[in-house]
Amino acid sequence: MEVVVRPHAGAATDLVARLIQRAVRQKPDLTLGLATGRTMEALYAKLVEDYAQGGTDYSCVTTFNLDEYIGLPPSHECSYRTYMQRHLFDRVNVRPENTHVPDGMAENTEVACARYEAMIATVGGIDLQLLGIGRTGHIGFNEPLSAMFSRTRAKALTPETMAQNRPLFPDPAMMPHRAITMGVGTILDAKRCLLLVTGAEKSGVVARAIEGPVTSMVSATALQMHPHCTVVLDEAAADGLSQKDYYYWLFENEPEWSEFR
Ligand code: F6R
């Protein structure tokens, strides 16, 4: 795991945008795993801005989203499909048929999850998986006690995650309690993982995820076992890390980061 700390949220988000853009430049037919949530809104705005200025070409990119609420049709204003259309898909030249979000309305969730896994396998797996972290330490919607080898499946949301996301629903009572999510094992299969976290309210869970013991109680700790995982934080989210100075030093001195300094 490599940890990069940037002075503020804008700089952290900008770095992640540039890493994604470079990955697409290097492999135009990249398979990109995508996340939703408040943190990603600023990131997608940067990708859209770059695209609008004639930057990155997404015409050969394939995307797979991490999760979707069970019971929300794609057209629902709070579905993750709608989120993705609004913040990214409708605003860059990714082909609609190359974008995938789990089917929250599937008659048979198990079959739909197995099909999702098969689709990922068919394209040769995910090259770059973008991730955020929830207050429970979830990645995707892998809530505490998600097995390290879990695959795409239905998962019940914790009260903490319900509280985190309920304000995003115009009628909070309408928020589903369950979601389909890629499993921890599905995420770990990605060739590279890229976790973006900003804001002081995440500093406690970030410290547990990065420097704490690996435990299924905090799914993000599984990323410590991934051979190529990059964590990008702003100063506020990094506040609880014991080795913060070391992480700063690495970014300022390691050759691999020279083009981003
Ligand atoms: C959603 C997802 C979640 C979010 C996490 C952080 O697709 O993958 O793991 O990344 O809940 O959400 P925000 O950014 O809203 O704090």
Side-chain angles (χ1 to χ4, degrees):
M1 183 182 263
E2 52 186 354
V3 180
V4 175
V5 184
R6 307 302 295 127
H8 52 80
T13 309
D14 195 55
L15 175 60
V16 171
R18 290 170 67 194
L19 286 168
I20 293 171
Q21 287 153 7
R22 185 180 68 172
V24 176
R25 264 200 319 275
Q26 288 172 343
K27 187 173 189 278
D29 62 345
L30 192 83
T31 300
L32 188 56
L34 295 173
T36 59
R38 300 170 186 86
T39 313
M40 298 303 149
E41 287 181 23
L43 173 69
Y44 294 144
K46 283 189 188 287
L47 296 184
V48 167
E49 190 187 333
D50 158 77
Y51 173 75
Q53 289 167 357
T56 313
D57 174 14
Y58 295 90
S59 61
C60 297
V61 168
T62 297
T63 69
F64 285 91
N65 266 77
L66 283 164
D67 40 24
E68 179 60 283
Y69 290 110
I70 291 179
L72 294 193
S75 58
H76 191 283
E77 59 178 315
C78 295
S79 76
Y80 283 166
R81 166 55 78 175
T82 295
Y83 172 106
M84 289 309 305
Q85 294 299 140
R86 185 184 303 142
H87 293 289
L88 189 67
F89 296 159
D90 287 343
R91 303 170 71 187
V92 299
N93 65 338
V94 64
R95 289 174 210 231
E97 64 273 26
N98 288 352
T99 67
H100 304 89
V101 179
D103 181 2
M105 294 300 284
E107 252 174 57
N108 186 326
T109 304
E110 254 179 65
V111 171
C113 291
R115 197 176 298 139
Y116 204 65
E117 288 276 339
M119 282 192 294
I120 294 172
T122 302
V123 298
I126 290 170
D127 294 307
L128 178 60
Q129 177 64 58
L130 179 63
L131 298 162
I133 190 171
R135 288 183 209 158
T136 61
H138 68 214
I139 45 176
F141 271 138
N142 289 287
E143 298 288 38
L145 290 184
S146 289
M148 295 288 176
F149 297 128
S150 51
R151 311 302 306 185
T152 303
R153 69 209 185 293
K155 196 77 194 158
L157 305 178
T158 59
E160 209 173 353
T161 297
M162 293 293 295
Q164 178 190 304
N165 287 1
R166 207 177 271 122
L168 303 174
F169 283 74
D171 176 2
M174 294 299 287
M175 183 182 168
H177 280 258
R178 298 171 79 236
I180 291 179
T181 179
M182 281 187 204
V184 180
T186 320
I187 293 168
L188 291 180
D189 280 352
K191 294 176 190 80
R192 184 176 189 182
C193 288
L194 188 51
L195 172 64
L196 170 65
V197 195
T198 56
E201 70 281 1
K202 298 274 179 72
S203 62
V205 77
V206 161
R208 290 176 73 195
I210 294 173
E211 294 181 342
V214 174
T215 167
S216 62
M217 284 301 288
V218 181
S219 293
T221 61
L223 297 172
Q224 294 177 25
M225 301 186 295
H226 193 281
H228 195 182
C229 175
T230 305
V231 181
V232 180
L233 308 169
D234 67 353
E235 173 83 39
D239 202 40
L241 294 172
S242 67
Q243 300 294 319
K244 200 165 70 176
D245 293 346
Y246 173 57
Y247 308 139
Y248 261 121
W249 187 91
L250 289 175
F251 183 77
E252 292 306 332
N253 294 281
E254 287 295 89
E256 61 177 300
W257 294 112
S258 59
E259 69 178 284
F260 297 103
R261 289 199 279 267

